Amino acid sequence: MKMLTLKLKPKTIFGIILALTGIIVIIITFASNHIEPAESVSAQVSASTDEERRDYLASYGWETDKDFETKELTVPESWNDVYINYNEIQKNQGFDLSDYKGRKVTLYTYKITNYEGESEGIVADMLVCDGILIGGDVCNTAASDGFLTGFSGQ
């Protein structure tokens, strides 16, 4: 009888679990058939200032912590299933990341302080390009019970 063993570091195991959880959450979101009709964003949403971004989140009822994080990203030219599914969430809330493939964007992350129930790890991510909001989400960063939705929380 032969036995195969793998030695993985705790950080590697956590990374694998986190990635798998994210993929499962996205698949469940789309399989649940709870996709709402797209809310039309009739005009471009200005998000060049912290106040404008917070006001936009407040329009959905979200309250945020005073601090936020920023990160520069490039929207990939070619997408895998994760990006395709994420863009479906964006389309359902009136955004479309397809026009931004290959472009540099800024990701603003705000901690949500008034999420119903457990609020630890709940954040709003906002993708901004040239001062215009181009997409985003509300998600739970906890690996055990994570989720990812549009700004409306549904």
Side-chain angles (χ1 to χ4, degrees):
M1 181 167 132
K2 294 186 178 195
M3 184 178 287
L4 176 66
T5 61
L6 295 173
K7 292 185 178 182
L8 297 174
K9 295 179 182 178
K11 286 183 181 181
T12 304
I13 294 171
F14 178 75
I16 292 169
I17 291 171
L18 188 61
L20 289 175
T21 302
I23 291 169
I24 290 169
V25 167
I26 290 171
I27 291 170
I28 290 172
T29 300
F30 288 100
S32 67
N33 289 330
H34 288 94
I35 298 174
E36 296 178 7
E39 298 173 20
S40 175
V41 177
S42 58
Q44 292 183 336
V45 178
S46 179
S48 58
T49 68
D50 180 47
E51 183 179 7
E52 288 174 331
R53 292 186 297 273
R54 289 179 192 276
D55 287 346
Y56 186 79
L57 293 173
S59 74
Y60 285 96
W62 300 122
E63 296 173 8
T64 58
D65 196 26
K66 65 179 181 169
D67 297 324
F68 65 92
E69 296 178 17
T70 62
K71 187 176 186 180
E72 298 298 318
L73 307 171
T74 300
V75 178
E77 288 280 348
S78 60
W79 291 355
N80 59 19
D81 288 341
V82 174
Y83 278 98
I84 291 168
N85 292 337
Y86 185 74
N87 198 44
E88 285 301 315
I89 293 172
Q90 301 315 307
K91 287 179 179 180
N92 286 328
Q93 59 183 357
F95 300 107
D96 187 354
L97 298 177
S98 299
D99 296 336
Y100 297 93
K101 287 183 176 181
R103 303 258 324 256
K104 290 189 184 283
V105 301
T106 304
L107 172 67
Y108 293 92
T109 302
Y110 292 87
K111 181 179 177 187
I112 300 293
T113 59
N114 67 327
Y115 187 79
E116 186 176 316
E118 180 64 36
S119 64
E120 189 64 33
I122 310 297
V123 298
D125 292 318
M126 303 179 83
L127 294 167
V128 177
C129 184
D130 298 328
I132 303 298
L133 182 65
I134 63 167
D137 60 79
V138 172
C139 65
N140 183 343
T141 58
S144 62
D145 59 352
F147 65 82
L148 186 139
T149 68
F151 289 119
S152 67
Q154 298 182 356

